Amino acid sequence: MPGCCGCWEVLRPPRYKRLVDSIFPANPQDGLVKNNMDKLTFYAMTTSEKLDRIGMYLEQRLSRDISRHRIGFVFVAMDALDQLLVACHAHSLNLFVESFLKMVQKLLECEEAELQILATQSFIKFANIEEDTPSYHRRYDFFVSKFSVMSHNADRNENVRVKIRGAGLLGLQGVVRKTVSDDLQVNIWDPVHMDKIVPSLLFNMHTPEFMSVNTESPRDEEHPAYIAEMVFRDLVCRASYGNVKSVLQPVLCHIDNHRLWVPNEFAVKCFKIIMYSVQIQRKQQYGYLVIQMLMSHLDTHTNSDPSIKASIIEVLYESVLISAGGSIGPSVLDVFNTLLRHLKTSVDNKSPEGEKRNMEKKFEEAIINTIGEFANNLPDYQKIEIMMFIMGKFPQFSNSEEMGFMDNYLQTMLLKTLLKVATKYKTVIMNNAFPPEFLHPLLRISLLDDPGLRVVVQEILHTLLDRHDNASKLKTVSIPKDVVSELDLTVDKVPRQDSLFMKKNGIQFYWHILENLQMESNKADNFEAIFCTMCLITIEMGGDDILVELIRLALDIQSMTIESTLPKTHKCCNHAIVAAYLNVLAQITNMSPLVQYLSDLFELRRKEACHLLPEFAFNRSNRDSSVKDEDYPKEDKVEEKWLFDQTALQDILTECGHDASRLSAPLAQRPHSNSGMVNSMSDIGSINIELDSIESSPLLARKKVEEITVESLKKMLAEDQSVKREEDAKKRQEIFETFQNAPFEEIVARAEAKSNCFHDKLYEILEMSPPSSPDHTTKESQNAVPVFEMQFPSLYVY
């Protein structure tokens, strides 16, 4: 008997096997034997070295049950595995996990949908467990592939299809959750994995029967569309700065491959999810990566259909709206340069087809709106830089103040872009809003031939000048009795720094306003826009220091109109603008004598010269039934009593305590004029400097050398020098009067004109000189004698 007992002990199975066998009931419908499961759990926790063997034995039983199609016992085994995983956190859990993953893999390889769903549920429970020890050799390639296949399930039974797809999506989330936080495991952000995970999510989000699902409703939480969106948000939230591109690239490829840009509702939805997800995790700076990827993707579609490019720009626009300042990133100018390049490419390659051209226009408008939203996220000082950058896209002006050739439509698009950016800028100080590098080119562009473009330039000036929302109230040229109350204008005290700005740059505004009013291509819109500009200058910068200059501007416009050969309609508009402008100026500055003088003159015009008032001149077409050609005066003569008298205005200004002496000096001097340098620079390229002959000197290159003889000396002595002396005296007197009476800004403008002429000429000469050879320079430097070794003549030695 003792021998037999010993044999029985040898043949008796180990305790862990007996404990495992005891958890399985006779009838699988009864589920786990709870008491025996507690014993097994306690045994596994107290003897952790047996955990791996328990796992291996469970794997053997599971494989046997699967092969025999004993599905009930398969569920019991997986339930036991799940409980052991949750309860045990020993260092040897890794070996048990290997057996667990093998069992999950076997279940996923089965064709039964319920087993695949069971395996996915167990894997999700495992993914939520935080392991104490890292795993160096565990791989999840099979699970990524299998869960992606499940996400694309196309079973005919809708209920089965929905369940399998939902299980596959949650399985993908489990893989990401398990691997993203462990640097020692497989890198889930590799393209080989992301190219499977991201398209699986997007496929379920975009499936037509799922697109109408209300993802806000709790009853739809089990729907694959809801699950896919949830997993996609979680994936983006878990992406670090260096891994955001790994998620975005498959998204863009998926939209391209499935042609989902047109219509772009799904693309907009995807990128809204991305932008909101990165902000939830306080990763606003990540928004720049999203914008950068979209812009790079737009570059790849340069030659694509305009509808596709327009859709990408719309997605970009929606993304910028969400970014809240984080979309610009460090390379601000690069963003705007890319958008402007696409705008120029679209304009240069206009399609002759009507429908396609309409799509191109939609694309161009989308670019302008997107640039405006980009600018809205910038600080004000960068908005000015962006406007200067856009201004740099216009052709450079020549010395004759003529702009280089550019397509008229492209000019329109660039000006619209400039206007869009200007609307996002809030002017505080005029000196900041109008730096010289921006103001001067903008005013030059205001003299373009196209009247529509000139209106846009004036609108840009309105946007930047108007700090109190008065521009919309000054669009119509009129003479109200009470300007401030009837037009509801907001007028504040002019800051000192703005008065100084106007003293320095006022001549620029005045001269370009005069030039604009002399253009025969002007329409009613042009005159109204110029009137609005003049009024805004007066309201925003019209302090007492420049009041005389503003009235002098009105008198100059009146004089220019009388002396010009403009059509009657244009002359009437100019006179009406002067009248309406002086009325605004007088009432804003509260100069009662000036208001009374203007009121009397307006009444006289209504009786004898109504064509010089806005009611007649600004009826839009000047061809209304109320205004006929015969209503205009036949003679192009304006009587003195209808005009604003300079002497009367001087007396009024003196009465109000202003220095009216400057009112007599005209403002016709052109600021920064370079016209005098054109001829002097025209032949500079033909100068050939030769040192052998004084006759070839550049100063005498085009002069004939006169021979000096006795006869020529006698003739010189016999000439009367009185005429020359009179001319010199007259010239000196003119210079003296200029410096004595002319305003300071006019003197500065003349000095700058001469200075610019000199510098431009010097710059052109320097450009013509060939660069010195580096080899020659090196040889000379090598052969140069040090200063302390040079022998100086005794004459130079002290």
Side-chain angles (χ1 to χ4, degrees), residues 15-261:
R15 186 182 178 191
Y16 72 88
K17 288 188 178 181
R18 284 184 278 125
L19 290 173
V20 170
D21 292 337
S22 65
I23 67 174
F24 289 91
N27 184 6
Q29 301 298 328
D30 297 337
L32 278 171
V33 180
K34 188 176 184 304
N35 292 335
N36 294 337
M37 186 63 210
D38 293 340
K39 294 177 183 179
L40 177 62
T41 304
F42 179 76
Y43 178 79
M45 293 175 66
T46 54
T47 56
S48 58
E49 67 275 5
K50 300 292 185 181
L51 191 58
D52 58 330
R53 297 187 182 183
I54 294 173
M56 293 175 63
Y57 185 61
L58 278 171
E59 180 190 350
Q60 292 174 7
R61 288 208 53 154
L62 184 70
S63 301
R64 186 168 62 247
D65 292 336
I66 291 174
S67 62
R68 294 176 181 177
H69 296 283
R70 299 167 63 181
I71 304 301
F73 289 106
V74 172
F75 277 88
V76 173
M78 292 305 299
D79 190 10
L81 283 169
D82 293 342
Q83 292 189 32
L84 287 173
L85 271 175
V86 173
C88 301
H89 295 284
H91 294 291
S92 57
L93 185 62
N94 275 334
L95 298 178
F96 177 75
V97 169
E98 294 302 322
S99 301
F100 169 78
L101 292 177
K102 287 180 181 178
M103 286 183 273
V104 173
Q105 181 174 343
K106 287 181 180 180
L107 289 178
L108 290 174
E109 290 173 346
C110 296
E111 295 182 358
E112 291 82 356
E114 55 183 350
L115 294 182
Q116 294 182 13
I117 295 172
L118 175 64
T120 305
Q121 292 172 349
S122 295
F123 184 85
I124 293 170
K125 294 176 183 177
F126 161 70
N128 292 327
I129 297 175
E130 295 183 5
E131 299 182 53
D132 297 332
T133 56
S135 175
Y136 301 97
H137 56 281
R138 195 182 301 163
R139 300 189 63 84
Y140 295 91
D141 296 5
F142 168 79
F143 296 100
V144 172
S145 301
K146 183 60 181 179
F147 289 140
S148 299
V149 172
M150 292 172 63
S151 302
H152 290 81
N153 184 271
D155 195 281
R156 295 181 179 180
N157 189 326
E158 183 178 356
N159 292 330
V160 174
R161 183 172 67 247
V162 169
K163 289 181 180 179
I164 294 179
R165 287 189 180 184
L169 293 169
L170 292 173
L172 291 174
Q173 184 184 29
V175 174
V176 174
R177 184 179 299 169
K178 194 65 181 174
T179 57
V180 73
S181 59
D182 193 348
D183 296 334
L184 299 176
Q185 294 188 14
V186 62
N187 185 7
I188 198 64
W189 305 109
D190 285 344
V192 66
H193 300 307
M194 284 293 112
D195 289 345
K196 298 175 183 177
I197 295 175
V198 175
S200 301
L201 302 177
L202 298 180
F203 171 76
N204 284 278
M205 291 168 59
H206 182 255
T207 304
E209 59 265 25
F210 297 156
M211 286 296 290
S212 59
V213 173
N214 180 13
T215 57
E216 301 296 330
S217 176
R219 66 176 180 273
D220 294 323
E221 289 183 359
E222 300 298 326
H223 204 287
Y226 180 89
I227 298 173
E229 183 173 330
M230 178 192 67
V231 175
F232 187 57
R233 291 180 188 274
D234 182 65
L235 179 68
V236 177
C237 289
R238 292 179 182 274
S240 63
Y241 186 82
N243 297 323
V244 172
K245 291 185 179 180
S246 301
V247 180
L248 293 176
Q249 191 60 45
V251 173
L252 295 171
C253 291
H254 180 85
I255 297 175
D256 280 343
N257 295 336
H258 295 270
R259 300 179 181 178
L260 300 178
W261 287 116

Side-chain angles (χ1 to χ4, degrees), residues 135 161 170 188 258 366 422 533 545 558 606 609 745 755 757 782:
S135 175
R161 183 172 67 247
L170 292 173
I188 198 64
H258 295 270
T533 303
D545 297 340
Q558 178 177 266
R606 288 189 182 96
E745 55 268 21
S755 177
C757 175
Q782 291 175 351

Side-chain angles (χ1 to χ4, degrees), residues 500-725:
L500 294 176
F501 168 81
M502 201 59 188
K503 279 186 175 182
K504 181 180 179 181
N505 299 282
I507 189 68
Q508 294 279 346
F509 288 101
Y510 305 150
W511 187 84
H512 284 89
I513 287 173
L514 282 169
E515 288 295 309
N516 269 275
L517 291 173
Q518 294 183 63
M519 305 191 80
E520 294 189 5
S521 59
N522 281 335
K523 298 180 180 179
D525 290 337
N526 297 96
F527 288 112
E528 290 173 345
I530 295 170
F531 168 75
C532 183
T533 303
M534 294 169 63
C535 292
L536 288 175
I537 290 174
T538 303
I539 294 172
E540 299 293 344
M541 298 181 288
D544 293 339
D545 297 340
I546 63 166
L547 179 62
V548 176
E549 280 74 13
L550 295 175
I551 296 177
R552 188 171 59 171
L553 170 64
L555 293 177
D556 271 10
I557 295 174
Q558 178 177 266
S559 302
M560 174 272 297
T561 304
I562 296 173
E563 297 171 0
S564 68
T565 58
L566 292 170
K568 291 181 181 179
T569 54
H570 288 54
K571 288 187 175 183
C572 291
C573 286
N574 284 346
H575 284 295
I577 285 176
V578 172
Y581 171 65
L582 286 176
N583 181 58
V584 171
L585 184 147
Q587 296 194 37
I588 287 177
T589 54
N590 295 320
M591 298 177 62
S592 301
L594 181 58
V595 172
Q596 184 60 43
Y597 169 75
L598 295 176
S599 178
D600 296 341
L601 187 57
F602 295 158
E603 190 62 32
L604 178 63
R605 284 189 177 185
R606 288 189 182 96
K607 294 179 181 179
E608 302 180 6
C610 62
H611 59 282
L612 302 182
L613 293 174
E615 294 83 358
F616 182 98
F618 283 93
N619 61 352
R620 306 300 295 173
S621 64
N622 284 10
R623 294 293 183 272
D624 253 0
S625 57
S626 59
V627 178
K628 301 178 182 178
D629 288 339
E630 53 267 19
D631 292 337
Y632 285 96
K634 295 181 180 179
E635 295 184 3
D636 192 16
K637 184 179 179 181
V638 180
E639 296 184 16
E640 289 290 335
K641 62 180 180 179
W642 299 339
L643 300 177
F644 300 99
D645 183 53
Q646 178 179 327
T647 305
L649 292 175
Q650 279 182 328
D651 295 339
I652 292 172
L653 287 173
T654 303
E655 180 184 348
C656 294
H658 296 279
D659 181 13
S661 60
R662 293 175 294 170
L663 198 63
S664 58
L667 288 172
Q669 176 65 30
R670 180 175 186 171
H672 300 287
S673 175
N674 295 329
S675 57
M677 58 186 281
V678 177
N679 294 332
S680 63
M681 297 175 66
S682 58
D683 298 330
I684 197 167
S686 61
I687 295 177
N688 184 20
I689 300 177
E690 296 179 3
L691 301 178
D692 296 335
S693 172
I694 191 172
E695 296 178 2
S696 60
S697 171
L699 297 176
L700 304 174
R702 288 180 295 276
K703 292 184 180 179
K704 183 178 179 181
V705 180
E706 185 179 358
E707 293 183 0
I708 300 176
T709 60
V710 176
E711 295 297 329
S712 62
L713 292 174
K714 286 183 179 180
K715 185 178 180 182
M716 187 183 301
L717 293 172
E719 286 181 354
D720 186 7
Q721 300 293 327
S722 59
V723 177
K724 187 177 180 180
R725 283 195 295 269

